[in-house]
């Protein structure tokens, strides 16, 4: 309705949300390709060139990747030009480096490692050699668009265990801390992430003890919704919670595997 009413020409959101908008428009029998929309600026989650093509086809727009992080400035640290061949880092504001995350040694241009930023113009909360944990490489070659500021390759992953659900950063440790405060819940849980249509869905499977599990349904439902509400208020995203019988979550002898990511690899 807003796209129609305002004749919006630029859409900025996560790439998965753009696909969701396309899906909803199709369900409403609106031809979104015929709306005035011409450019999409998408970021906050990893996406592939295949997904770009899908978005461009479905919405009939030019889709560009944008990158940023809260600690540095938020969105707009780097962005793709019309060449869509790497994201130009705004070097008049940020010095970018790539390091080996293990040795912390600086790596030469072209090599893949962890991205580091030093801010030049930011006031009050400047950063010096801030470790982003994002894995990428830098390309100093002048771009065909005419800009000669360095380009970064699209981010391929992170050095830690953070998961990104619908553009929201989720750490398994956050979920763990919520469960710790709910006495009926056992510390055995797993997160199952899947993609339904264009949106990521996250399910928390958590064990409850025998006594509670054999309790009446109403009680189980109330524990379930309590966990759900707590997590929603901490993470800011909705999550499906399933209570399971004791001993149903697979145990690990080494580091616990908390996350089962069933999303298709891109
Ligand atoms: Zn360029």
């Amino acid at each position: 309705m807003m796209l129609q009413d305002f004749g919006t020409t630029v859409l900025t959101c996560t790439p998965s949300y753009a696909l969701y908008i396309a899906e909803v428009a199709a369900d409403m029998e609106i031809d979104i390709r015929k709306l005035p929309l011409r450019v999409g600026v998408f970021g906050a989650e990893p996406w592939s060139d295949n997904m770009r093509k899908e978005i461009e086809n479905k919405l009939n727009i030019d889709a560009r990747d944008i990158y940023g992080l809260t600690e540095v400035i938020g969105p707009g640290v780097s962005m793709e030009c019309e060449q869509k061949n790497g994201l130009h880092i705004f070097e008049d504001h940020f010095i970018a480096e790539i390091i080996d995350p293990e040795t912390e040694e600086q790596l030469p241009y072209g090599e893949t490692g962890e991205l580091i930023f030093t801010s030049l113009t930011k006031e009050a909360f400047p950063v010096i050699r801030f470790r982003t944990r994002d894995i990428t490489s830098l390309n100093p070659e002048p771009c065909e668009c005419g800009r000669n500021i360095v380009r970064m390759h699209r981010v391929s992953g992170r050095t830690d265990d953070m998961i990104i659900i619908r553009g929201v950063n989720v750490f398994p440790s956050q979920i763990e801390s919520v469960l710790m405060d709910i006495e009926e819940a056992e510390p055995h849980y797993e997160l199952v992430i899947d993609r339904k249509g264009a949106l990521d869905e996250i399910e928390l499977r958590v064990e409850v003890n025998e006594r509670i599990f054999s309790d009446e349904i109403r009680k189980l439902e109330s524990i379930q919704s309590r966990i759900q509400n707590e997590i929603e208020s901490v993470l800011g995203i909705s999550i499906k919670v399933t209570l399971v019988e004791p001993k149903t979550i697979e145990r690990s002898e080494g580091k616990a595997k908390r996350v089962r990511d069933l999303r298709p690899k891109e």
Side-chain angles (χ1 to χ4, degrees):
M1 188 184 80
M2 297 223 304
L3 290 174
Q4 283 180 321
D5 288 358
F6 292 106
T8 311
T9 53
V10 181
L11 172 68
T12 176
C13 56
T14 62
S16 60
Y17 199 71
L19 282 178
Y20 180 64
I21 290 173
E23 239 173 49
V24 171
D27 286 346
M28 293 168 75
E29 290 176 9
I30 291 165
D31 189 355
I32 199 165
R33 295 178 51 86
K34 295 215 169 107
L35 295 183
L37 215 51
R38 68 187 172 81
V39 181
V41 177
F42 303 120
E45 67 186 5
W47 54 310
S48 62
D49 264 327
N50 283 339
M51 190 151 173
R52 187 209 302 273
K53 278 180 206 125
E54 205 181 328
I55 292 171
E56 290 187 332
N57 284 333
K58 284 195 170 151
L59 286 93
N60 190 28
I61 57 170
D62 186 18
R64 313 268 186 96
D65 198 1
I66 191 169
Y67 171 87
L69 55 160
T70 312
E71 297 86 346
V72 173
I73 200 175
V77 173
S78 68
M79 192 179 156
E80 284 179 330
C81 64
E82 67 274 16
Q83 299 295 322
K84 299 179 201 170
N85 186 19
L87 296 89
H88 286 285
I89 295 173
F90 299 103
E91 285 183 294
D92 42 351
H93 295 285
F94 317 106
I95 299 173
E97 297 170 73
I98 297 288
I99 62 162
D100 178 324
E102 298 293 321
T103 65
E104 301 182 3
E105 292 296 319
Q106 195 185 39
L107 296 175
Y109 282 133
E111 282 195 29
T112 300
E114 184 179 339
L115 182 61
I116 303 288
F117 281 113
T118 297
S119 62
L120 296 173
T121 53
K122 196 180 180 209
E123 293 180 14
F125 180 20
V127 291
I128 298 169
R129 304 198 81 209
F130 180 80
R131 295 186 63 168
T132 65
R133 310 273 169 194
D134 289 325
I135 302 295
T136 184
S137 61
L138 297 177
N139 174 10
E141 297 296 316
C143 180
E144 277 177 53
C145 73
R147 293 177 184 87
N148 53 16
I149 46 177
V150 73
R151 279 173 286 167
M152 59 183 263
H153 196 266
R154 72 165 70 237
V155 171
S156 60
R158 290 182 54 84
T159 57
D160 54 23
D161 60 356
M162 189 180 79
I163 26 181
I164 300 177
I165 310 289
R166 281 172 256 146
V168 176
N169 300 349
V170 175
F171 289 91
S173 55
Q174 290 174 298
I175 290 180
E176 202 160 333
S177 69
V178 168
L179 290 180
M180 291 294 181
D181 291 333
I182 293 181
E183 60 164 9
E184 293 91 341
E186 299 287 301
H188 300 291
Y189 68 94
E190 68 173 350
L191 290 165
V192 183
I193 305 156
D194 206 352
R195 187 165 293 160
K196 297 273 155 61
L199 274 187
D200 292 337
E201 289 198 342
I202 181 165
E203 179 191 6
L204 169 66
R205 301 179 70 236
V206 56
E207 283 185 16
V208 287
N209 66 42
E210 200 76 62
R211 184 177 52 81
I212 290 167
F213 200 78
S214 49
D215 232 323
E216 53 183 313
I217 288 286
R218 199 155 10 109
K219 214 159 180 183
L220 283 174
E221 282 175 346
S222 102
I223 297 170
Q224 200 167 309
S225 63
R226 225 168 74 220
I227 297 174
Q228 211 159 347
N229 292 339
E230 279 297 313
I231 288 176
E232 234 177 281
S233 73
V234 170
L235 299 179
I237 56 167
S238 60
I239 180 169
K240 182 184 171 197
V241 174
T242 310
L243 302 180
V244 298
E245 283 183 71
K247 311 268 168 351
T248 41
I249 305 285
E250 200 192 312
R251 308 294 202 258
S252 164
E253 293 190 355
K255 213 175 156 183
K257 273 200 75 150
R258 297 298 193 197
V259 181
R260 265 202 296 149
D261 199 337
L262 307 175
R263 291 180 289 191
K265 293 274 170 286
E266 284 166 344

